[in-house]
Amino acid sequence: MKISFLIHNAYGIGGTITTTFNLAGALAERHDVEIVSALRHREHPNLVPDPRVRLRALVDLRKEADHPLHQRPAKVFPPAEYRHHQYSELTDQRIGECLAALDADVVIGTRPGLNVHIARQAPQHVVRVGQEHLTLDNHSPRLRTALRRAYRRLDVITTVTDADAAAYRRKMWLPGVHVESLPNSVPDPALFPADSTAKVVIAAGRLVPVKRYDLLIEAFAQVAAAHPDWQLRIYGKGEEQPRLRELIERLGMWNNVFLMGAATPMEAEWAKGSIGAAASNFEPFGMTIVEAMRCGLPVVSTDCPYGPGEIIADGTDGRLVPVGDRDALAAALLELVGDDERRRRMSRAALDNARRFAPGPVVAQAERLLEAAAAARIAGRTATPRHHRTQSALAGRGHAARDAAHAAAAGVLRSIRKGSR
């Protein structure tokens, strides 16, 4: 098969970019694969795609940021989508031209706005797949209403968790669209796994409020008080860095907590630790959790919606604690820091259990899913099981009506606010 991925900006850093590159590289073993980046802002991508995967960009911001069409808001990319301000009539035009000329068998979008483009503009012969890397409940009623209208033209929607797939089936009312969870994959580590002897806890990700690194630092202060020879290393960059640095200084943790900056790839850094940590309020999947486990680190994480609870087996390969509970997070970390045998046992379990996120199982599922959708399109039938369609119809219509009402009310409120200025 010829497979095209459509992504926001392949030249940046983030979980969607990582998992897209991983899946594209794994699929390139047997298929002709390309990644189309809507935007580009630098010469070379931060992450290096598999050499068998072609990469091209549609709008180069280094040269076209001042293009007249780029000064006008996008009309196809939905206004309620988080990234709408970065899209324009120029991106509408380039994405539309790209899709019209597409000679692929399958095109896969990687965020809601791009999925809308695919639903509305991809040729009829192409299998249209919309990937969801956030969650349905994280979208506003206005965006969900826009997605219902467009997503009915998709063949497949994939989510990264079973819980979110169930939410789509229950709430969206998309007759004929197959919805299935397809987890993110992490390549097989090239290095030996961690040996559980390093006195280091590792966390990684964007330094943004939802990741709650402040909570993790405060929890680790209790660990350092009992075990002053242990360190917390936080990898990543983002808007929270100055506030986190001030917190470290205020707690007197400069010898125990370190902001390491971004590291690509992270595999060598995970292998230097003995425990992974995540304190997010919200985590659609938890890519760094899988990365840590694949390197032999048990992970202590908040049990936030949706991903961690589907990745970590509490008490077996890591620990799950209530969201926002600093003391519970500290206690779980102390449990592993203070018990070498328990930590080693969980490390072995993490390695074993995380193999389900290896490229092999995930790619096999993706191939089965795409081949079934392609066969269904050729035969002119839906790939969705009948019981899914009948079970979701009434509930989906109810959710659709509520979202439409909320969206309309929000629109009236926006109009009132504009009129009062």
Side-chain angles (χ1 to χ4, degrees):
M1 286 188 292
K2 296 184 73 172
I3 303 169
S4 289
F5 288 87
L6 181 59
I7 195 169
H8 167 63
N9 188 339
Y11 296 80
I13 294 176
T16 298
I17 300 168
T18 300
T19 192
T20 299
F21 278 34
N22 288 347
L23 182 57
L27 286 168
E29 290 275 355
R30 289 160 40 87
H31 304 281
D32 182 356
V33 183
E34 71 167 353
I35 296 175
V36 179
S37 183
L39 302 175
R40 177 180 186 173
H41 70 290
R42 55 182 293 166
E43 180 67 22
H44 301 290
N46 281 288
L47 302 177
V48 180
D50 186 291
R52 296 165 297 187
V53 176
R54 299 183 306 281
L55 174 63
R56 60 187 174 108
L58 300 180
V59 175
D60 191 335
L61 297 175
R62 298 171 301 167
K63 306 171 184 176
E64 299 180 294
D66 296 326
H67 192 291
L69 290 180
H70 199 54
Q71 309 309 308
R72 302 175 188 170
K75 296 179 180 177
V76 179
F77 197 95
E81 222 267 39
Y82 169 71
R83 295 282 187 185
H84 181 261
H85 66 285
Q86 295 178 263
Y87 286 76
S88 64
E89 285 191 12
L90 181 62
T91 59
D92 279 355
Q93 181 185 88
R94 297 280 173 83
I95 294 171
E97 291 170 350
C98 168
L99 292 172
L102 204 63
D103 65 347
D105 301 296
V106 178
V107 59
I108 303 173
T110 55
R111 65 174 306 111
L114 297 178
N115 296 341
V116 169
H117 271 281
I118 288 171
R120 293 177 58 178
Q121 297 174 320
Q124 285 296 320
H125 69 275
V126 177
V127 174
R128 307 169 183 185
V129 180
Q131 286 186 341
E132 176 59 86
H133 289 278
L134 291 174
T135 67
L136 180 64
D137 289 342
N138 191 57
H139 298 325
S140 68
R142 185 181 176 208
L143 179 56
R144 289 196 295 263
T145 298
L147 297 184
R148 278 190 187 90
R149 297 190 188 109
Y151 276 14
R152 293 172 188 176
R153 303 179 188 179
L154 295 175
D155 296 286
V156 175
I157 294 171
T158 66
T159 63
V160 289
T161 63
D162 291 337
D164 199 36
Y168 265 89
R169 295 188 195 106
R170 187 175 67 253
K171 298 179 179 181
M172 284 296 276
W173 189 39
L174 301 171
V177 181
H178 181 71
V179 179
E180 184 172 327
S181 64
L182 180 70
N184 295 334
S185 69
V186 173
D188 298 324
L191 303 176
F192 288 109
D195 61 9
S196 300
T197 61
K199 297 181 178 182
V200 178
V201 177
I202 294 181
R206 293 176 298 121
L207 305 185
V208 293
V210 73
K211 300 294 186 180
R212 292 307 308 270
Y213 290 110
D214 58 331
L215 185 77
L216 178 58
I217 291 169
E218 290 171 354
F220 194 78
Q222 298 182 38
V223 176
H227 300 272
D229 52 346
W230 276 73
Q231 295 181 356
L232 169 62
R233 298 178 186 174
I234 299 173
Y235 292 85
K237 60 183 180 180
E239 65 195 66
E240 286 281 278
Q241 182 170 337
R243 193 169 78 89
L244 296 176
R245 192 172 300 282
E246 188 276 332
L247 177 61
I248 292 167
E249 293 176 358
R250 177 156 47 85
L251 295 174
M253 297 284 289
W254 47 80
N255 289 326
N256 296 94
V257 181
F258 301 92
L259 300 180
M260 306 294 291
T264 304
M266 264 296 295
E267 182 182 320
E269 307 309 319
W270 291 121
K272 296 173 185 175
S274 289
I275 302 169
S280 299
N281 287 341
F282 170 76
E283 198 67 71
F285 180 66
M287 193 71 170
T288 59
I289 295 174
V290 177
E291 289 177 354
M293 292 173 65
R294 295 224 70 201
C295 291
L297 274 63
V299 178
V300 176
S301 173
T302 47
D303 191 13
C304 60
Y306 283 79
E310 293 191 16
I311 300 171
I312 296 170
D314 187 29
T316 300
D317 53 24
R319 289 300 318 278
L320 294 169
V321 301
V323 174
D325 192 329
R326 178 191 60 200
D327 293 338
L329 185 60
L333 288 168
L334 282 165
E335 179 184 303
L336 295 184
V337 166
D339 190 333
D340 294 346
E341 177 52 37
R342 184 177 181 83
R343 191 168 66 248
R344 283 192 291 269
R345 186 169 64 251
M346 283 194 173
S347 172
R348 293 190 294 269
L351 278 172
D352 289 340
N353 294 348
R355 287 195 178 99
R356 68 191 190 277
F357 300 108
V362 174
V363 169
Q365 181 187 352
E367 287 182 321
R368 175 189 57 73
L369 186 63
L370 298 179
E371 288 167 0
R377 177 166 279 276
I378 292 171
R381 55 179 170 78
T382 176
T384 308
R386 182 174 296 277
H387 68 277
H388 284 170
R389 300 199 299 271
T390 55
Q391 286 175 350
S392 64
L394 291 177
R397 288 171 181 170
H399 286 286
R402 284 192 289 274
D403 281 346
H406 283 298
V412 170
L413 185 59
R414 284 193 301 272
S415 298
I416 292 172
R417 285 173 177 167
K418 286 181 180 178
S420 64
R421 289 174 185 170

